[in-house]
Amino acid sequence: MDGAAYPVAASRLVTEGRIGSILVCDDDAAIRTVVAQALRRAGHRVDTVASIAQLRQEIARGLPGVLVTDVILPDGNGLDVVMSLTDEYPGLPVIVLSAQNTLTTAVRATEAGAFDYLPKPFDLAALADAVQGALAKGAARPVDMGPAEEGGGLLIGRSPAMQEVYRVIARVVANDLTVLISGESGTGKELVARAIHELGPRRAAPFVAINMAAIPRELIEAELFGHERGAFTGAGARVAGRFEQAAGGTLFLDEIGDMPMEAQTRLLRVLQSGEFTTVGGARTIRADVRIVAATNKDLTASVSQGAFREDLFYRLNVVPISLPALRERRQDVGSLARHFLDRAAQSGLPRKGIDKGALSLLESHDWPGNVRELENLMRRVAALGRDTTIDAEEIRANMGKGGPPAIAPGEVDPDLSAAVAARLERLARETPQAFEDGSLYERIIAEVERPLIEAVLARCGQNQLRAARILGINRNTLRKRLDTLGIDPSRRTVSA
């Protein structure tokens, strides 16, 4: 099995329900026996070897889910092997054990790319926890989260703070416990919610997201629970709410701290009873969903201020996950920056490298916009950078003071400009006649108009009257544009 194939295999270990395969390398037979027994009791399949040569032979037959290795081995230094293996197989999590329990050894293990470092003598429970976190990391990173508002598409990071996030994810993916994700805006809360969904038993069913802060207060209940025809002015047909759309899957309640009190009361009843009715309806519907909520507010403070129900808070906060701000995990900035440059290149922007001076500047920045701000900056420099390698001057010129400036009404988002420029580059390569037949303007406008209309319809639960009002056009105009663009208004989407 080669390095490129590893992440898919690692993900399959978790999503098929097996806890994982572990390879233990230590020249002490007693340690091999004790570690193997402890991990087997935790449900893992464990193989053991006593040397680097045997380790290489075992890996040649197939990569494990996690490698646990000593540093001092009879035929070499385990840290050199770790560095080599993490280069060859970037997704392979390695846990280093060492009797040389010095700061230097710990730092070298981290620099070599180890997932975790445990000094001997070590606690077997701590080792089991580290293995579980390593398996979660190996499984969560390759998952294609699809488009998301929270910064990227993947969970990336080797920092201790992110390792703890991986450990918690690993513990909750197999059950239906309610999860409350807290963290500043832009830290990746939706990505964590998607990881929990994609790695869990509900992954074949929909993942449905709703942003409480983006829905008018008077419409939140209809958005969540759906409504019947005639339930309110403009309700011309029955519309399924997010609970119904997510049936069998996961419902992600983003910015739950912005939910009005009356809607909180109804949500609490649903969580307690597992049932709901639509607005204007009488039939009871079973709420077969897993709830994952997120907030950038301090909900304990909101509870004390009377702005959030205490009983609902405890219902949601069964498993808390606290996402660190990017400034609290600066060691992850470099890997995130490279990842976003790769994603920019995959979307059609020029492929760019980044030098050490630029990385140093990125790591020193406080990132008030967190991972989302970093991604936007990387897309900007990929689109506008003059050279193939991004340097500190390029970063400084595009970063500005305090991060990217806010987009004022009437101004153009530089990321939108970069996306249009990338589309033009692809057209020039793939369809050069588009620049000669006089259709370029209409073509690009139609391509921008389609996702705009689809996104607004999704936000409105496919209610065309509300969508037309938000777009600032009349309903007949919207219907004509739907026909022209070939958009099926009955098609359900699964994200807000």
Side-chain angles (χ1 to χ4, degrees), residues 256-487:
I256 190 73
D258 291 298
M259 192 177 204
M261 189 62 73
E262 58 272 20
Q264 291 180 33
T265 301
R266 187 163 184 191
L267 175 61
L268 176 64
R269 287 201 299 269
V270 175
L271 295 180
Q272 290 172 333
S273 67
E275 297 176 337
F276 67 94
T277 57
T278 60
V279 175
R283 181 173 63 91
T284 299
I285 302 171
R286 176 168 171 73
D288 179 21
V289 299
R290 179 183 192 155
I291 298 293
V292 179
T295 182
N296 62 6
K297 294 184 175 181
D298 181 352
L299 286 190
T300 56
S302 297
V303 168
S304 65
Q305 295 162 7
F308 199 86
R309 290 187 61 123
E310 184 176 22
D311 43 7
L312 177 59
F313 171 72
Y314 288 121
R315 281 278 180 178
L316 294 172
N317 198 42
V318 177
V319 179
I321 295 180
S322 179
L323 276 183
L326 188 53
R327 62 183 173 276
E328 296 169 355
R329 56 180 185 115
R330 296 180 190 273
Q331 59 267 57
D332 293 335
V333 169
S335 56
L336 284 165
R338 293 186 185 94
H339 167 68
F340 292 138
L341 288 175
D342 286 342
R343 280 175 61 93
Q346 292 166 12
S347 70
L349 293 174
R351 182 167 292 280
K352 299 289 180 68
I354 186 166
D355 67 19
K356 290 183 179 180
L359 287 175
S360 178
L361 182 59
L362 292 176
E363 289 170 356
S364 67
H365 185 55
D366 278 343
W367 300 109
N370 289 298
V371 178
R372 185 189 294 122
E373 180 187 352
L374 176 60
E375 180 180 19
N376 290 342
L377 176 62
M378 290 299 97
R379 289 188 62 84
R380 187 178 301 116
V381 295
L384 306 178
R386 297 159 300 195
D387 300 319
T388 57
T389 299
I390 298 165
D391 58 16
E393 179 184 355
E394 197 76 55
I395 293 295
R396 195 174 290 108
N398 283 279
M399 181 184 290
K401 295 182 179 179
I407 306 301
E411 292 184 357
V412 178
D413 187 337
D415 294 318
L416 179 59
S417 297
V420 172
R423 179 61 179 139
L424 289 175
E425 289 183 15
R426 288 201 302 276
L427 279 174
R429 292 194 307 269
E430 302 166 4
T431 318
Q433 64 268 27
F435 290 80
E436 301 173 0
D437 59 12
S439 66
L440 184 61
Y441 178 82
E442 291 295 334
R443 181 171 189 156
I444 296 296
I445 292 299
E447 290 182 3
V448 173
E449 185 180 23
R450 172 186 288 275
L452 171 63
I453 291 177
E454 288 180 336
V456 172
L457 281 170
R459 185 174 293 278
C460 295
Q462 308 301 319
N463 185 309
Q464 294 181 40
L465 185 62
R466 287 173 50 209
R469 189 181 305 122
I470 291 172
L471 290 166
I473 58 180
N474 65 51
R475 189 173 182 180
N476 289 333
T477 300
L478 176 59
R479 285 175 173 169
K480 290 177 182 177
R481 297 312 299 158
L482 293 174
D483 290 340
T484 300
L485 296 170
I487 299 174

Side-chain angles (χ1 to χ4, degrees), residues 218-235:
E218 66 274 12
L219 296 175
I220 282 186
E221 291 193 33
E223 288 287 340
L224 283 174
F225 308 113
H227 62 78
E228 301 298 323
R229 180 178 180 180
F232 51 83
T233 303

Side-chain angles (χ1 to χ4, degrees), residues 51-76:
S51 67
I52 293 174
Q54 292 174 359
L55 170 62
R56 285 288 187 182
Q57 291 173 1
E58 197 68 27
I59 285 180
R61 286 192 284 267
L63 281 172
V66 176
L67 170 63
V68 179
T69 182
D70 192 11
V71 173
I72 304 301
L73 295 166
D75 51 351

Side-chain angles (χ1 to χ4, degrees), residues 8-9 11 35 64 87 93 123 128 133 135 156 181 193 257 260-261 273 277 282 291 325 348 356 386 410 458 470:
V8 176
S11 179
V35 169
D87 284 342
D123 181 73
L135 283 170
I156 290 177
I181 307 167
M261 189 62 73
S273 67
T277 57
I291 298 293
K356 290 183 179 180
R386 297 159 300 195
I470 291 172

Side-chain angles (χ1 to χ4, degrees), residues 31 69-71 95-103 105-106 109 116-124 126-127:
I31 289 180
T69 182
D70 192 11
V71 173
I95 296 172
V96 172
L97 309 176
S98 178
Q100 296 180 318
N101 50 354
T102 65
L103 178 60
T105 305
D116 209 344
Y117 165 79
L118 296 177
K120 294 180 179 179
F122 52 86
D123 181 73
L124 288 173
L127 176 59

